[in-house]
């Protein structure tokens, strides 16, 4: 399949889950085409259902650390979710290709920073 980068981007839904230190879903967000979604209210099941409805029709679900964090969380919170049947692009796996000299490729979370670290 040929075309410019917009072809594939139009078929991708980008998403992120914010899970708090207690393991609860604090927020979910997504961008699909020109639309954006931010869900901060409701139960975990309601948030995941709203996210699944929002990204319906996307060919690819794109997220950072989606395979080892976000989708396992979805599997525990909503095992029947359509999110689990989507094709996934995990940017955590692509990051070393774009930035081979970086020592790590996971997001640095503010609450995980220590004063002594760079």
């Amino acid at each position: 399949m040929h075309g410019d980068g917009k072809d594939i981007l139009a078929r991708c839904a980008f998403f992120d889950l914010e899970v708090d230190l207690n393991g609860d879903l604090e927020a979910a967000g997504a961008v699909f085409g020109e639309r954006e979604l931010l869900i901060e209210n409701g139960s975990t099941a309601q948030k995941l259902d709203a996210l699944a409805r929002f990204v319906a029709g996307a060919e690819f679900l794109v997220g950072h650390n989606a395979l080892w964090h976000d989708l396992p969380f979805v599997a525990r919170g909503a095992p029947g979710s359509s999110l689990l049947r989507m094709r996934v692009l995990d940017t955590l796996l692509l990051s070393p290709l774009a930035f081979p000299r970086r020592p790590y490729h996971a997001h640095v979370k503010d609450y995980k920073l220590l004063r002594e670290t760079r």
Side-chain angles (χ1 to χ4, degrees), residues 84-116:
L84 300 171
R85 294 185 296 279
M86 295 183 74
R87 293 195 288 180
V88 178
L89 296 173
D90 192 327
T91 61
L92 181 66
L93 299 173
L94 299 175
S95 186
L97 297 174
F99 306 101
R101 294 184 179 188
R102 290 180 105 181
Y104 58 87
H105 297 279
H107 286 307
V108 176
K109 303 285 186 172
D110 290 343
Y111 62 84
K112 292 183 179 179
L113 291 176
L114 299 174
R115 291 183 190 271
E116 295 80 25

Side-chain angles (χ1 to χ4, degrees), residues 24-79:
D24 296 320
L25 183 58
E26 195 170 289
V31 175
F32 184 24
E34 298 295 320
R35 302 177 302 132
E36 296 179 12
L37 174 73
L38 175 62
I39 312 161
E40 298 178 303
N41 299 314
S43 68
T44 292
Q46 290 169 328
K47 290 174 189 166
L48 293 175
D49 182 58
L51 178 63
R53 283 184 279 114
F54 181 82
V55 302
E59 190 173 341
F60 301 99
L61 191 58
V62 182
H64 192 79
N65 203 11
L67 293 173
W68 291 280
H69 178 268
D70 295 332
L71 293 177
F73 180 87
V74 172
R76 289 188 304 275

